[in-house]
Amino acid sequence: MGISNLWFIALLGVALYCIVQAVRDIRAKNYIWSVIAAIAGVLILAMPVQTTAVKIDLPRSR
């Protein structure tokens, strides 16, 4: 069961929001919140996406 395109786009949106929030927190000198937001964004982007694999059995040549 793969991840649907809607959920994938939603996760990218959340990751982008976290990274933008990290930049805003750096500008506001809230360094701890900036690090937390940056780590959250990177972890979301680093999460593996499950895809559908297709297995093809080819005949053996002798």
Side-chain angles (χ1 to χ4, degrees):
M1 226 161 122
I3 189 168
S4 70
N5 287 338
L6 179 64
W7 286 109
F8 185 70
I9 293 170
L11 281 176
L12 285 178
V14 170
L16 181 65
Y17 174 78
C18 287
I19 292 169
V20 169
Q21 188 63 39
V23 172
R24 291 177 68 200
D25 286 337
I26 286 175
R27 289 183 178 187
K29 299 189 186 329
N30 294 326
Y31 300 113
I32 300 297
W33 287 112
S34 175
V35 170
I36 292 170
I39 289 172
V42 169
L43 286 177
I44 291 171
L45 288 176
M47 191 169 43
V49 176
Q50 183 179 5
T51 60
T52 304
V54 177
K55 182 179 177 185
I56 301 173
D57 292 327
L58 297 175
R60 291 179 139 178
S61 62
R62 291 185 179 194

